[in-house]
Amino acid sequence: MPVRFFNSYSRELEEFHPLDPAGKLVRLYTCGPTVYNYAHIGNFRAYVFEDLLQRHLEARGYDVLRVMNLTDVDDKTIRDSRKAGKRLNDFTQIYKDAFFADVEALRIKRAQHFPAATDYIPRMIDMIADLERKGIAYQAEDRSVYFRLSKFPDYGKLAHLNLDELRPSGRVSSDDYEKESVGDFALWKAWDEGDGDVKWDSPWGPGRPGWHIECTAMATALLGDELDIHCGGVDNMFPHHEAEIAQSECCTGKKFTRYWLHCAHLMVDGQKMAKSLGNFYTLRDLLEKGWTGREVRYALLTVNYRLPLNFTLDGLAGARAALQRIDEWVARLNDFVAKDQANGSAEKPGGAGSHVAKFFDALDDDLNISGAMGHLFDMIRGSNKRMDEGSLSREEARELLAGWSRINSVLQLDPEVSAVPAEVLALVEQRQAIRAAKDWAGSDRLRDEIAARGWIVKDTKDGPKLTPK
Ligand SMILES: [Zn+2]
């Protein structure tokens, strides 16, 4: 079955075929964070969904070339850097660094490119000048440059808005506006006092780019005029993605993006997440409460991306329990293979293959992760039962581990690796010496001492193995 995605543009489930004639390269653009604060878990829901998308495409043999931008100049970064009394670059660097630390904690594969808007200003100016030459951009009396919506009749098609029914409201300089105030959006914002020292020279005087042209310039610079997939949260659809389409298609004359994938909202305890409601979480808020990046990843990953995700602490506890089940199963299979305790008489081929195939088939179907996880847990339940009964063969156990490894290339749910403290390592060495002398009581005593320090030592044919308790 080919990979299929729900394309927001057509509102239909479509078979996925990249533009690349060899059918191998996928050009993927994902709108990244505005680096004026720590990204919150609603942002990370989108980034984890995009990670699943990338890893699944790779599991299916595609080469994914991914770009994720960093918006380091816009209304919010300027406002908050001024409030903090910092230069724009110094201010945004703090949140760029924090973003990459969070990406690491959530095991999100890094894009090949993380362009920052401030590195692409000349290209943005060139594109705006091109639009002006074509009569699509115009400088208004406020010295800002706007996109003339009447020149792009397709505006509104992605969000399925009928602009004839909405009253155009003149010009809108803010990066964000509601559909009720549809108007010509700003491409270039003339400098004003509120911008402080943030400004670049341009043919229209000093100023800075609008948010939408930033993504258009960076996407086309790094991926070419035509993208295969463009992702973002559903709240980016209008006006941001509409504006990206309008700008790029007017500049290049080509269809900007072939498949638009948008993930639904994240709510917390059934409500919109808001600082004022006390239900606003960044990743570091959750890490401070003792949750791990792996647990948060699980909670964000395992709800189908087009469904609203209701994030709760109970849900995180559920993620913790599910992960424990997976860990115990993997450990049990490893022990089973290592300890030669397989009682299954025949070394017959197992049923792991069909579960693994079903897992990936579910993901082919518009990334149906909940269906895929269902197949994984069927596989766990079935094989645990067979081990209980003593009817699993060693060959089957090996197959199951290999199947898990393929599945985990997409899920990335290995246990957190903790550094083993030197004192624990010293105890393990001491214990090895005692065991060599066949002092089994002494060996058990040291095992308990190691356990008291939070580590379980297991003796395998390759020597002692440590796992955190
Ligand atoms: Zn964007």
Side-chain angles (χ1 to χ4, degrees), residues 162-174:
N162 183 349
L163 296 195
D164 295 338
E165 289 173 9
L166 299 170
R167 194 142 42 122
S169 63
R171 288 184 292 268
V172 182
S173 69
S174 163

Side-chain angles (χ1 to χ4, degrees), residues 369-410:
I369 186 70
S370 56
M373 294 306 284
H375 294 302
L376 170 63
F377 282 107
D378 280 350
M379 174 159 126
I380 292 176
R381 198 175 306 117
S383 50
N384 272 335
K385 190 159 171 269
R386 301 264 319 273
M387 282 190 275
D388 293 343
E389 294 167 355
S391 67
L392 193 80
S393 73
R394 183 139 27 126
E395 189 51 37
E396 285 174 299
R398 282 207 193 93
E399 264 184 38
L400 286 158
L401 284 170
W404 163 246
S405 164
R406 278 190 62 205
I407 287 174
N408 196 41
S409 72
V410 170

Side-chain angles (χ1 to χ4, degrees), residues 270-288:
Q271 288 180 296
K272 195 173 155 52
M273 185 166 70
K275 283 191 174 144
S276 57
L277 293 174
N279 66 356
F280 186 94
Y281 294 118
T282 63
L283 177 63
R284 46 206 68 214
D285 292 335
L286 295 168
L287 298 183
E288 272 169 29

Side-chain angles (χ1 to χ4, degrees), residues 152-215:
F152 191 73
D154 280 354
Y155 193 78
K157 271 205 171 167
L158 173 67
H160 299 261
L161 298 176
N162 183 349
L163 296 195
D164 295 338
E165 289 173 9
L166 299 170
R167 194 142 42 122
S169 63
R171 288 184 292 268
V172 182
S173 69
S174 163
D175 286 328
D176 287 303
Y177 58 82
E178 298 297 323
K179 62 181 189 225
E180 286 76 18
S181 65
V182 171
D184 291 355
F185 59 85
L187 294 161
W188 185 259
K189 301 186 185 200
W191 179 86
D192 68 27
E193 279 174 15
D195 293 339
D197 62 356
V198 178
K199 59 175 185 251
W200 286 265
D201 286 331
S202 81
W204 314 282
R208 61 187 167 95
W211 174 37
H212 315 310
I213 195 74
E214 294 182 4
C215 275

Side-chain angles (χ1 to χ4, degrees), residues 189-257:
K189 301 186 185 200
W191 179 86
D192 68 27
E193 279 174 15
D195 293 339
D197 62 356
V198 178
K199 59 175 185 251
W200 286 265
D201 286 331
S202 81
W204 314 282
R208 61 187 167 95
W211 174 37
H212 315 310
I213 195 74
E214 294 182 4
C215 275
T216 298
M218 291 184 275
T220 53
L222 292 161
L223 294 171
D225 294 345
E226 296 167 278
L227 318 183
D228 289 303
I229 307 176
H230 193 314
C231 296
V234 71
D235 35 350
N236 284 154
M237 194 187 281
F238 186 88
H240 184 55
H241 291 161
E242 290 285 0
E244 280 188 48
I245 295 171
Q247 295 161 152
S248 62
E249 296 195 356
C250 288
C251 280
T252 69
K254 292 180 189 149
K255 189 169 173 64
F256 176 50
T257 291

